[in-house]
Amino acid sequence: MKFADFPKPSVTADIVIYTIQNKELKVLLVKRNIEPFRNKWALPGGFVRIEESLEDAAKRELREETGVEEVYLEQLYTFGEPKRDPRGRVITVAYMALINSENISLKASTDVSEAGWVMIKKIPELAFDHKKILDYSLKRLRWKFEYTPVAFSLLPKKFTLSQIQRIYEIVFNKKFDKRNFNKKILSLNILKEEGINKDVPYRPPMMYSLKKNIDEIVEIL
């Protein structure tokens, strides 16, 4: 068969972006303002234009639908069930990122009526197969927390061991023994001591920063 004989499916890019707010793991969702699934919550994303790369499309859709820019995106997985989109044959390439949301102001576009951070514990019914994408991304996120230093992207440049532990407890939704956790983190030799934090009324903790040029794969847990 010739190339022209094959029907051409459409391609979308969907983005899963996590943050931590008020001691809760949250994901960025948008409420759709168009059919299908009008007024349903969904992951930000949209169709890839013919002249775009997948990553450029993901960044454009994220900027247009939420106002979020300058975010590192990592390709997550490809979802291609034949009937995942009621409009026709649509394959989506999902991306994932973890960001500090403090300095981000969300802004919805004409395609969405609302954009906001939603707690993982309280995810509403999602459009398309976005719940499946979200579930898969959460497993990948926890894997990355176990074997890479990605969690440190949520911390300020200088941080305490307690701050690191708090982030891990939020993402894994469980408590870690403080002594064992600190011992393991310090044994990895990825932190640099930055001196005592004297601006606290209690026993001042040691401040740390992440060393430069560390390995991409680090067995954190």
Side-chain angles (χ1 to χ4, degrees):
M1 296 179 68
K2 298 179 180 178
F3 175 76
D5 294 332
F6 289 92
K8 307 299 186 294
S10 297
V11 179
T12 57
D14 291 315
I15 310 104
V16 186
I17 294 193
Y18 291 104
T19 196
I20 291 179
Q21 285 183 339
N22 303 320
K23 299 181 181 181
E24 292 284 352
L25 180 64
K26 298 183 179 182
V27 65
L28 182 59
L29 297 180
V30 295
K31 183 173 284 188
R32 291 177 58 80
N33 202 29
I34 58 174
E35 295 292 352
F37 300 107
R38 187 185 180 103
N39 295 323
K40 290 288 187 180
W41 287 98
L43 297 170
F47 288 95
V48 178
R49 295 171 180 170
I50 196 66
E51 75 280 1
E52 286 181 315
S53 69
L54 291 169
E55 185 170 329
D56 285 344
K59 290 180 177 179
R60 174 183 55 77
E61 287 291 341
L62 191 61
R63 180 179 65 253
E64 291 177 355
E65 293 193 359
T66 66
V68 174
E69 296 188 74
E70 303 301 324
V71 175
Y72 169 77
L73 297 174
E74 174 184 324
Q75 194 171 121
L76 179 66
Y77 197 74
T78 301
F79 295 83
E81 289 297 321
K83 296 182 179 180
R84 60 173 302 276
D85 192 317
R87 293 169 293 188
R89 186 73 167 99
V90 180
I91 298 169
T92 193
V93 180
Y95 285 81
M96 181 179 72
L98 185 67
I99 65 174
N100 188 323
S101 64
E102 290 181 359
N103 299 320
I104 290 178
S105 179
L106 299 179
K107 181 179 63 175
S109 72
T110 55
D111 287 348
V112 300
S113 59
E114 189 178 345
W117 297 104
V118 179
M119 289 191 297
I120 287 296
K121 298 176 182 177
K122 296 184 178 181
I123 296 297
E125 182 180 351
L126 299 181
F128 305 103
D129 57 352
H130 288 187
K131 182 61 166 60
K132 180 179 179 181
I133 296 174
L134 182 59
D135 289 344
Y136 180 87
S137 71
L138 186 58
K139 292 179 182 179
R140 176 73 72 86
L141 176 67
R142 287 171 174 163
W143 180 89
K144 291 186 72 68
F145 265 59
E146 289 180 347
Y147 291 100
T148 77
V150 68
F152 294 88
S153 64
L154 287 172
L155 294 167
K157 290 184 179 181
K158 296 180 182 180
F159 48 82
T160 65
L161 292 175
S162 293
Q163 286 177 296
I164 303 172
Q165 182 174 341
R166 191 175 304 120
I167 287 177
Y168 272 83
E169 289 179 341
I170 290 170
V171 169
F172 284 90
N173 193 30
K174 71 176 186 178
K175 294 290 185 180
F176 291 94
D177 179 79
K178 182 176 181 179
R179 184 172 182 178
N180 290 337
F181 186 89
N182 289 353
K183 183 178 180 181
K184 178 59 185 296
I185 293 295
L186 292 175
S187 72
L188 298 173
N189 195 30
I190 61 175
L191 301 182
K192 176 184 176 183
E193 290 188 356
E194 295 288 354
I196 298 294
N197 179 12
K198 299 179 180 179
D199 298 327
V200 292
Y202 47 86
R203 182 180 178 182
M206 175 63 71
M207 302 297 292
Y208 296 89
S209 63
L210 189 65
K211 291 181 179 179
K212 297 180 179 179
N213 302 319
I214 63 176
D215 294 337
E216 291 184 6
I217 301 298
V218 180
E219 189 175 345
I220 305 290
L221 296 180

